[in-house]
Amino acid sequence: MAIETVGVVGGGLMGSGIAQVAAAAGFRTRLREMTPALASQARARVVRSLSIGVDKGKVTPEQRDATLGRLSTGTDVSEIATCDIVIEAVVEDLAVKTALWQELDRLAPPDTIFASNTSSLTIADMAVSSGRPDRVVGLHFFNPVPLMALVEVVRAITTSDATVRTATEFVRRLGKQPIAARDTSGFVVNRLLIPYMLDAIRAVEHGVASVADIDTGMRLGAGHPMGPLTLLDFVGLDTTLRIAEIMYTEFRETRFAPPPLLRQMVTAGMFGRKSGRGFYDYSVEPPRATPLLTA
Ligand code: 3HC
C-alpha cells in the first residue's frame, strides 16, 4: 500500500513537527487538535519553524509556501480518518490513546495504518484494542522533529509484515532514517537516554558538580550537542517524569526510577523551556542555571 495522505492527531511540539515533515515531503497532511485555538497554535508553530528554516537558508520561500499549502489543520476527527496513515502524538496516557484509536477505527477504512509516536508505552497495548491489531505500528520521532534524522519503527507482536514494510518505506519518504525496534518500553533511544538524563539529575542531587559544569562536561568531554540538563529542559521535565514513571513501572529497575529532585521540580511547575524555568532560567539571555539545592 502506498501512502499519499497523512493524518496527525495532536499539534504539540512533536505532532506539529511530524505534520511539518510530512507536508514538506510532499504528502497531503491534515493535523487535528482539540480546539480551533490549539489548531491555529499548531499551524503557527509550523509557520515559525519553516520561517526559521528560510532565515537559515535551509528552506526556500517556495518550499515553505508549498509545505503550508499541503497542510490543513482543524478539529474534525472524521477528516483525519480518510488519510492513508494516522499518526498520534497526543498525551502519553494509554487510556487517551486507546480511546482515540477506537474512535478512529469506527471511521477509517480497514486498511488505514495507525501509528503511535509514544515514547514509552507498549504498542501492543494499543494494538489489541484498536480493532486492527495487524495495522498498528510505532513511529517514534525525536525533538526537534524537522532536524532530527531518526525514526524508530516499532513492531508490536500483532503487527503484520506488510504494515512494517509500508511504515518503514514511509519513514524513508519523509527523508528520515528508520531503525527497527522491538516493542519494549522506551525502544532503543529512550532505554539508553532516560537513565542517562536521570543520572545527570542524581549527579546534581549528590553535588558532583554544578548544573553548568555537568552540561559542559558532557558537551566538551563526550561531544554531545547539548548537556543532559539542557536536554532535560528541552524535552520537558514533566514529559521526562511521565516517561520515567512508565518505564519504572514496566521494568522495576532503579535506573528508571525518577529522582526526588525531578518530582519536586515538576511539582513546582519547573518544566524546562516550555514553562520558562527548569535547570536553567530562560527569562534571561543567556539562560542562567537555577539555584536548586541551597539549604
Ligand atoms: N529548519 C531547518 N533547518 C534548521 C532549522 C529549521 N527551523 N533550525 C535550525 N536548522 C539547521 C541549522 O541551519 C543548522 O544547519 P547546519 O548544521 O547545516 O548549519 C542545524 O539545523 C542546527 O541548527 P542550529 O545551529 O540552530 O542549532 P544547534 O547546532 O544548536 O543544534 C539541535 C540544535 C539540533 C537541537 C542540537 O542541539 C541537538 O541535536 N540537540 C539534541 C537534541 C536531542 O537529543 N533530541 C532528542 C530528544 S529525546 C526525544 O525527542 C525522544 C522523546 O521520546 C523524549
Side-chain angles (χ1 to χ4, degrees), residues 97-112 114 123-136 158:
K97 291 182 195 281
T98 300
L100 171 70
W101 291 135
Q102 286 172 345
E103 182 181 8
L104 278 165
D105 184 53
R106 287 192 289 275
L107 299 167
D111 52 355
T112 304
F114 291 174
I123 303 300
D125 286 340
M126 284 174 249
V128 290
S129 53
S130 68
R132 56 185 75 205
D134 57 323
R135 300 206 171 252
V136 178
T158 55

Side-chain angles (χ1 to χ4, degrees), residues 14 20 45-59 92 117-120 140-148 152 186-187 189-190 193-194 197 224-227 230-232 234-236 239-240 243 273:
M14 298 304 286
Q20 178 184 328
R45 212 173 269 126
V46 175
V47 171
R48 203 160 46 242
S49 169
L50 287 167
S51 305
I52 295 171
V54 171
D55 292 345
K56 290 186 179 273
K58 301 287 166 176
V59 178
E92 196 72 341
N117 180 54
T118 180
S119 351
S120 48
H140 184 217
F141 292 78
F142 294 85
N143 180 24
V145 178
L147 303 192
M148 302 302 282
E152 292 176 310
F187 317 127
V189 174
N190 279 344
L193 188 62
I194 295 294
M197 293 196 294
H224 291 194
M226 285 176 172
T230 302
L231 183 58
L232 275 153
F234 185 69
V235 169
T239 304
T240 306
I243 296 172
R273 278 197 202 187

Side-chain angles (χ1 to χ4, degrees), residues 80-249:
I80 292 289
T82 62
C83 297
D84 299 327
I85 186 168
V86 180
I87 307 169
E88 70 77 18
V90 301
V91 63
E92 196 72 341
D93 181 326
L94 183 60
V96 174
K97 291 182 195 281
T98 300
L100 171 70
W101 291 135
Q102 286 172 345
E103 182 181 8
L104 278 165
D105 184 53
R106 287 192 289 275
L107 299 167
D111 52 355
T112 304
I113 293 178
F114 291 174
S116 173
N117 180 54
T118 180
S119 351
S120 48
L121 295 168
T122 304
I123 303 300
D125 286 340
M126 284 174 249
V128 290
S129 53
S130 68
R132 56 185 75 205
D134 57 323
R135 300 206 171 252
V136 178
V137 67
L139 287 183
H140 184 217
F141 292 78
F142 294 85
N143 180 24
V145 178
L147 303 192
M148 302 302 282
L150 186 74
V151 178
E152 292 176 310
V153 179
V154 185
R155 172 188 210 126
I157 195 161
T158 55
T159 314
S160 69
D161 288 348
T163 300
V164 172
R165 263 199 311 275
T166 305
T168 306
E169 179 53 29
F170 169 66
V171 168
R172 291 207 177 92
R173 285 174 67 197
L174 292 179
K176 303 287 186 196
Q177 171 72 50
I179 58 170
R182 276 189 47 203
D183 185 22
T184 163
S185 181
F187 317 127
V188 175
V189 174
N190 279 344
R191 190 186 185 98
L192 301 177
L193 188 62
I194 295 294
Y196 160 69
M197 293 196 294
L198 299 180
D199 266 346
I201 301 174
R202 290 183 190 109
V204 174
E205 286 178 330
H206 294 155
V208 171
S210 69
V211 164
D213 281 356
I214 290 171
D215 274 349
T216 303
M218 292 311 290
R219 266 192 316 106
L220 303 186
H224 291 194
M226 285 176 172
L229 302 161
T230 302
L231 183 58
L232 275 153
D233 278 358
F234 185 69
V235 169
L237 272 62
D238 52 338
T239 304
T240 306
L241 176 60
R242 188 86 195 100
I243 296 172
E245 280 169 337
I246 292 170
M247 294 186 77
Y248 182 64
T249 303

